[in-house]
Amino acid sequence: MAGIRHRRQAVEEIPILAFYAAPMDERAWQVLLAAIMLLATFKISLITYRRRAFPEPHYDWEKIDTSDLSFPDGFIWGTATAAHQIEGGQSNNWTDFENRTGKEPSGIACDHWRRWREDFDLLSELGVSSYRFSIEWSRLEPSPGAWDEEAMQKYSDMVDDLIGRGIRPMPTLHHFSHPSWWEDRGGFTETSNLPQFLSYCERVFDSLSNRVKVWCTINEPTVFSAMGYTLGQFPPGRRSIRLTLRVMRNMMRAHAMVYRSLKQRDPDCSLGIAKNVTLFDPANRWSPIDWPVARLLEWLWNGAWKRGITNGRMLWEKIPDAKGSLDFIGLNYYTHFITGLFMPTSADELDFAKREHETTTEFGYPMYAEGMRRAIDFVAELGVPIEITENGVADSSDSLRPEHLMRHLWIISEAIKDGRDIRSYHHWSLMDNFEWAEGYEMRFGLYSVDFDTQKRTLRGSGEMYREIIKSELSTPNRGRLQQRVEAKEP
Ligand code: FCB
C-alpha cells in the first residue's frame, strides 16, 4: 500500500498526469475552472486590445486650461455657411422636399441673397481671414443648359468683396442642394448624371478661379447619402441601403471627376472635400454586440470613404480617379455616436446616447471635444494638409457655445503642437440659419438672427471668437508657440 501511495504522489507531481489520476467529478471541476479562466483571459485581452487600438479618451476638463492656446503663424480663422441655409428664395431639391413633406420651409432664410454685403461686414467685424460658403447650382442653371449670368455675376461680386476685405473665399460646389431637374433625373443615383454636375462645376470654376484658389468639391457625401437614402430625412426621402451605397460611390466618382478636371484647368488651385467624421463608439465596451455594430458603422461612414481616396476602391467597386484626389482634406467634426444592438432605422428612432458625464447639446447629441483629436488623427493619415471646414454647436441660449468653442480650439492647438498639419478653423456658423430637417429651431450662429426682422446680433461666444482671433494674430502668441516647438525639438 505504502508503495502505491508513493507512486500516486509521484504521478500527481506531473500536472497532466495528476489530472487523469483525479476522480471524475474533480476533473469536471478542473475543466470548468480552466475554461472560465481561458474565457476570462481571452475577454481581458480582447478588451485591452480594443482599448489600445480604438481608445475613447475622456478628459477631466476641470483640470485643463483651455485658454492656453497657441496657433502657428499664418493659421487661418474663418466661419462657414451654405447657400440653401442662408440665401433664401430658393427653388431646388430641398424646397421641393420641404413642400412635399410639410417640413418647415426654408423661405427667405437669412435673406442673404439680398443682404450679403451687410453679412460680409459681420465677417469683417469678427476679424476672420477665410469664409467658407457654397454656390447654389439651381440658381446658376435653373433649367438644363440655361445659365443665369446675373446670378454668376453676384457670386463673382461676392468673391471680389471678400478679397477686398482680406478674406479668403472658400466656395463649396455642392452643399446638399441642387436643381430640381437634376433631382428628377435621379441626381447622384445615376452615374450618367455626373457629367452635368461636372460641367456646372467647370463653369463656376472658369468664372472664379482667377481669384479663388481653394475649393471644396462636395460637402459631407456620407451625410447626404445616409440622410437622403437611408433615414429619409433629406431629399429625396428614400429608405434604401442599395441606393445609399450607390449614391456614396457616385459622390466619390463625382468628386474625382471634378478634381481631375479642375486640376487640369489650373494645377495651382487647391481642391478638397468636406468630410464629416463622426466617430462610432460601442455603448458597452465589453459587449460582443455593441462592438461589431460600432466597427461596421465606422467602416461604412469613415473607412469606406477613406479607402476610396487612398486605394481608388470604394464599397466593392473601382474608382481609380479617386486615388489621391485631394490637395487638402476638409474636416467637419461635431460628435461621436454611441452604438448598441438597437440601431435607429429611421430618424424618429434617433435617440442619441451619451456617456454619463457628457453634456447633451440642443441637437440631442453629446459634446465630445476629445473626438475632434481622433477625427484629426484619422484624416491626418491621408497625408495632406487639414482644413477644419466645420465645427460648432446648436445652442440658442449661448450657454454652452463658449465652452464648446474653447475645448475644440484647445484640442486643435494641442494637435498642431503634436505635429498635425492643420491650416484653418471655420466655425459653423456665421449666423443662425435654416438647419435642414430641423428647420429654424437649431441655432448654430455666432450671430443670432431674428427671423422676423432679419436683425443680426453678435452673441457672447461671437465676441469671444473675435477676441481669440485678435489675440492669436498678435505677435506674442506666435512667439509663445515658437518657443514650445523649439523646446520640443531634441
Ligand atoms: C453639417 C452640415 C451643415 C450644418 C451643420 C450643423 O452636417 O454640413 O450644413 O447643417 O451640420
Side-chain angles (χ1 to χ4, degrees):
M1 281 296 281
I4 293 171
R5 206 178 296 130
H6 179 72
R7 232 180 28 238
R8 175 83 186 263
Q9 269 175 357
V11 163
E12 279 170 357
E13 274 160 23
I14 307 167
I16 187 76
L17 297 180
F19 173 74
Y20 285 112
M24 194 52 196
D25 54 347
E26 208 176 296
R27 263 195 264 166
W29 276 114
Q30 285 179 9
V31 170
L32 194 70
L33 203 71
I36 291 172
M37 276 170 66
L38 210 70
L39 212 71
T41 317
F42 177 68
K43 189 96 200 180
I44 289 168
S45 22
L46 202 66
I47 291 175
T48 316
Y49 161 72
R50 286 170 179 173
R51 270 187 197 207
R52 291 242 167 106
F54 310 100
E56 185 194 326
H58 287 271
Y59 300 160
D60 182 352
W61 289 101
E62 303 271 293
K63 298 211 174 102
I64 294 174
D65 175 10
T66 54
S67 66
D68 182 19
L69 301 172
S70 41
F71 286 85
D73 206 357
F75 188 81
I76 298 167
W77 297 95
T79 63
T81 62
H84 186 77
Q85 296 180 271
I86 61 167
E87 286 182 358
Q90 306 284 12
S91 172
N92 57 23
N93 62 325
W94 259 93
T95 46
D96 294 344
F97 184 68
E98 292 156 24
N99 295 336
R100 186 156 51 83
T101 56
K103 282 194 183 294
E104 186 170 9
S106 48
I108 67 159
C110 303
D111 198 21
H112 175 77
W113 193 239
R114 294 196 310 118
R115 297 169 191 258
W116 62 270
R117 275 184 212 279
E118 289 94 304
D119 287 340
F120 288 0
D121 288 342
L122 307 181
L123 295 172
S124 299
E125 189 186 357
L126 279 178
V128 295
S129 45
S130 177
Y131 175 53
R132 177 174 174 241
F133 62 105
S134 79
I135 309 269
E136 182 61 40
W137 178 10
S138 61
R139 275 194 196 283
L140 297 174
E141 199 176 357
S143 54
W147 196 253
D148 187 335
E149 289 297 349
E150 223 176 282
M152 190 65 244
Q153 187 55 49
K154 197 182 270 201
Y155 283 122
S156 178
D157 293 344
M158 287 184 190
V159 162
D160 286 338
D161 194 272
L162 289 170
I163 294 171
R165 293 168 187 270
I167 297 171
R168 176 187 76 162
M170 187 193 214
T172 301
L173 289 160
H174 187 277
H175 194 128
F176 296 166
S177 56
H178 50 241
S180 308
W181 60 262
W182 199 66
E183 181 74 44
D184 295 344
R185 293 179 181 187
F188 283 108
T189 61
E190 299 298 332
T191 318
S192 57
N193 288 342
L194 303 185
Q196 292 144 16
F197 175 63
L198 174 65
S199 63
Y200 143 73
C201 294
E202 289 172 340
R203 210 155 169 178
V204 174
F205 190 80
D206 289 346
S207 303
L208 305 179
S209 62
N210 56 346
R211 289 153 290 153
V212 174
K213 293 298 165 200
V214 182
W215 299 76
C216 291
T217 55
I218 296 179
N219 180 68
E220 300 189 343
T222 326
V223 172
F224 179 89
S225 318
M227 292 297 278
Y229 295 87
T230 308
L231 295 176
Q233 283 295 293
F234 280 15
R238 301 291 299 270
R239 308 275 313 269
S240 152
I241 296 288
R242 191 179 56 86
L243 283 180
T244 307
L245 300 182
R246 211 202 277 179
V247 170
M248 281 171 76
R249 288 188 205 105
N250 280 343
M251 292 189 100
M252 180 60 88
R253 286 193 179 95
H255 160 77
M257 281 165 88
V258 173
Y259 178 85
R260 301 287 161 209
S261 164
L262 304 191
K263 218 48 201 168
Q264 215 171 15
R265 289 168 130 77
D266 176 7
D268 293 335
C269 72
S270 183
L271 291 159
I273 200 167
K275 168 70 184 137
N276 173 300
V277 176
T278 295
L279 307 161
F280 295 88
D281 288 314
N284 296 301
R285 293 183 72 77
W286 45 264
S287 160
I289 293 161
D290 301 354
W291 193 268
V293 174
R295 300 310 315 146
L296 176 72
L297 290 175
E298 174 84 22
W299 173 76
L300 265 173
W301 194 274
N302 302 321
W305 170 85
K306 189 186 201 177
R307 261 181 299 280
I309 297 287
T310 50
N311 302 343
R313 284 189 75 85
M314 189 184 189
L315 300 166
W316 312 283
E317 281 184 21
K318 282 189 187 158
I319 310 177
D321 274 355
K323 191 170 174 180
S325 59
L326 289 179
D327 300 321
F328 71 89
I329 176 64
L331 171 62
N332 293 4
Y333 175 74
Y334 288 92
T335 191
H336 68 157
F337 199 86
I338 295 170
T339 63
L341 176 59
F342 299 105
M343 289 308 296
T345 55
S346 81
D348 302 334
E349 293 171 19
L350 260 185
D351 178 22
F352 297 105
K354 69 168 197 79
R355 301 291 180 209
E356 214 180 319
H357 60 277
E358 285 177 344
T359 308
T360 302
T361 67
E362 260 172 35
F363 212 109
Y365 50 69
M367 167 165 75
Y368 177 54
E370 294 89 328
M372 170 72 108
R373 178 57 191 264
R374 291 166 63 192
I376 289 170
D377 291 349
F378 172 77
V379 293
E381 286 167 20
L382 293 166
V384 291
I386 301 166
E387 302 241 10
I388 310 288
T389 34
E390 277 183 38
N391 171 244
V393 64
D395 179 24
S396 50
S397 62
D398 204 40
S399 50
L400 185 60
R401 192 175 291 102
E403 196 181 342
H404 188 278
L405 178 65
M406 292 314 294
R407 285 189 189 184
H408 286 81
L409 290 183
W410 183 82
I411 292 276
I412 297 168
S413 162
E414 292 294 301
I416 294 174
K417 279 183 229 158
D418 292 342
R420 302 285 175 267
D421 184 6
I422 307 171
R423 306 281 174 92
S424 70
Y425 174 80
H426 295 83
H427 191 82
W428 185 274
S429 180
L430 170 66
M431 57 190 160
D432 293 342
N433 55 48
F434 177 73
E435 180 45 39
W436 309 111
E438 319 299 319
Y440 289 101
E441 212 187 315
M442 294 301 146
R443 304 292 178 118
F444 277 90
L446 291 170
Y447 285 84
S448 69
V449 175
D450 178 332
F451 289 100
D452 293 328
T453 61
Q454 288 295 342
K455 188 171 185 293
R456 282 83 158 122
T457 311
L458 187 64
R459 290 199 161 105
S461 53
E463 274 172 42
M464 193 173 182
Y465 190 46
R466 187 181 60 191
E467 290 316 307
I468 291 169
I469 297 175
K470 209 187 284 170
S471 85
E472 286 301 326
L473 291 182
S474 67
T475 326
N477 266 339
R478 284 187 213 154
R480 211 173 69 200
L481 180 81
Q482 208 47 46
Q483 275 166 18
R484 287 200 199 185
V485 172
E486 277 158 15
K488 271 195 167 186
E489 277 167 9

